[in-house]
Amino acid sequence: MKLKLGIGVILAVLGLWLAGCQSAGSNDSGALNQTEAVSGTNGSSSTQESSGTEESSSTNESNTNHVHDEEDEHNHEHNHEHNHEHNHEHNHDHNHEHHDHDEEAEAIYKGFFEDSQVQNRTLSDWEGDWQSVYPYLLDGTLDEVFAHKAEDSGKMTAEEYKEYYDVGYKTDTERIVIEGDTVTFFTKGQQRSGKYQSDGYEILTYEAGNRGVRYIFKSVEEVEGLPRYIQFSDHRINPSKSDHFHLYWGDDRKALLEEVTNWPTYYPSDMDGHSIAHEMMAH
């Protein structure tokens, strides 16, 4: 009986001890699990926060780049449109001004201009070595010019034009050289030189309604065999280098202004007859 009682006590004590171990194990496991849960939560929170920050940063960077790209594109388009409009306007204005300039020059060449457009000129505008075109009329080189005029205008035949210009171009002064204020005439194998100074200009109105300007120069001193006055007409009305000219000369300034039938014409001496003819037809 005592033995049974002793065994029962031992079993009871053993049961209580085992129960205590199980409780302690359960608590330790719970604590471990809770720690893991906290750690897991913190890790998840950190990951989410980090991910959210990166996404936000990436989104902001993307938006910034997008805005930057838009600004670049806008600036590019603005610059392109501005440059295009500017170039278009500039080219349009330039072409328009160029067209107006051409029309004005053509009108002046034909003898239509305002008095206010006329300016004085110096002898340097005609500086150079010049030849008469009359020999080219005589040898037939200018026949194509007269044929061209006849076909273009229909006012006269080629032969009639040749007769008209035979009167206009006729001269025995085959060459003129102008250097500074000195003018040298080559006439019938002889040459004479003299100094000339500006004596103003005169605007003439012709029967056809168009006009011309005579630029007049007077000899500084009287030289035997040289004209007292020379008058240039080259379809120009302001300072510019002449490419050809008609020349009137004599001792009576006023009488020369009334001369409109004979106008000896000179082109650069280094041009041949065919080049002169083509230059004439271009006008």
Side-chain angles (χ1 to χ4, degrees):
M1 185 70 175
K2 290 181 180 179
L3 178 59
K4 290 181 180 181
L5 181 60
I7 293 171
V9 172
I10 291 170
L11 290 174
V13 172
L14 181 60
L16 290 174
W17 180 79
L18 289 173
C21 288
Q22 288 178 356
S23 176
S26 175
N27 288 340
D28 288 344
S29 175
L32 177 61
N33 290 339
Q34 185 177 6
T35 301
E36 288 177 353
V38 171
S39 174
T41 302
N42 288 343
S44 174
S45 175
S46 175
T47 301
Q48 290 177 359
E49 183 178 351
S50 174
S51 174
T53 301
E54 288 176 359
E55 288 179 10
S56 175
S57 174
S58 176
T59 302
N60 288 338
E61 184 177 352
S62 175
N63 289 338
T64 301
N65 290 338
H66 181 65
V67 172
H68 181 69
D69 290 342
E70 283 185 343
E71 289 177 353
D72 282 350
E73 186 175 352
H74 173 73
N75 290 336
H76 174 73
E77 289 178 356
H78 175 73
N79 290 336
H80 175 73
E81 290 174 1
H82 176 73
N83 291 336
H84 176 73
E85 290 175 1
H86 175 73
N87 290 336
H88 176 73
E89 291 174 1
H90 176 74
N91 290 336
H92 175 74
D93 291 344
H94 176 73
N95 291 336
H96 183 68
E97 290 174 2
H98 183 67
H99 180 68
D100 288 346
H101 176 73
D102 287 347
E103 285 189 344
E104 181 180 294
E106 184 66 21
I108 290 173
Y109 186 86
K110 292 180 177 179
F112 298 98
F113 52 84
E114 301 296 330
D115 288 0
S116 59
Q117 293 177 272
V118 181
Q119 300 175 22
N120 210 350
R121 298 168 69 183
T122 65
L123 199 56
S124 62
D125 280 358
W126 298 276
E127 192 164 35
D129 193 322
W130 306 89
Q131 62 176 321
S132 168
V133 300
Y134 189 54
Y136 296 122
L137 180 145
L138 295 177
D139 69 13
T141 303
L142 301 185
D143 285 354
E144 60 178 322
V145 177
F146 308 132
H148 173 77
K149 286 182 177 294
E151 183 179 350
D152 189 51
S153 70
K155 294 179 180 179
M156 292 190 287
T157 65
E159 187 59 35
E160 288 172 333
Y161 269 114
K162 185 169 184 176
E163 291 174 1
Y164 171 75
Y165 280 95
D166 184 272
V167 175
Y169 291 160
K170 190 171 186 176
T171 182
D172 55 8
T173 299
E174 66 272 5
R175 182 182 171 208
I176 295 175
V177 176
I178 301 172
E179 296 178 303
D181 60 356
T182 301
V183 179
T184 303
F185 290 81
F186 295 80
T187 306
K188 296 180 179 179
Q190 297 182 348
Q191 67 180 74
R192 291 183 174 86
S193 300
K195 295 184 180 297
Y196 287 82
Q197 60 188 8
S198 177
D199 196 43
Y201 60 81
E202 297 288 344
I203 299 174
L204 306 180
T205 300
Y206 307 124
E207 290 183 5
N210 59 330
R211 304 195 299 165
V213 180
R214 297 273 188 93
Y215 287 94
I216 305 170
F217 295 83
K218 182 179 180 181
S219 61
V220 174
E221 56 185 7
E222 292 188 28
V223 178
E224 185 179 354
L226 286 179
R228 188 69 170 150
Y229 294 94
I230 55 176
Q231 301 180 355
F232 293 89
S233 176
D234 61 359
H235 312 284
R236 299 169 187 260
I237 62 173
N238 45 48
S240 55
K241 183 65 177 174
S242 185
D243 53 9
H244 78 278
F245 59 84
H246 313 293
L247 191 66
Y248 308 80
W249 61 86
D251 296 331
D252 189 327
R253 186 183 194 274
K254 184 178 179 182
L256 283 176
L257 294 173
E258 297 171 358
E259 174 59 73
V260 292
T261 58
N262 175 239
W263 15 268
T265 301
Y266 294 84
Y267 274 77
S269 292
D270 58 1
M271 292 181 69
D272 61 34
H274 292 290
S275 297
I276 292 173
H278 291 164
E279 187 70 20
M280 288 179 172
M281 289 187 287
H283 292 293

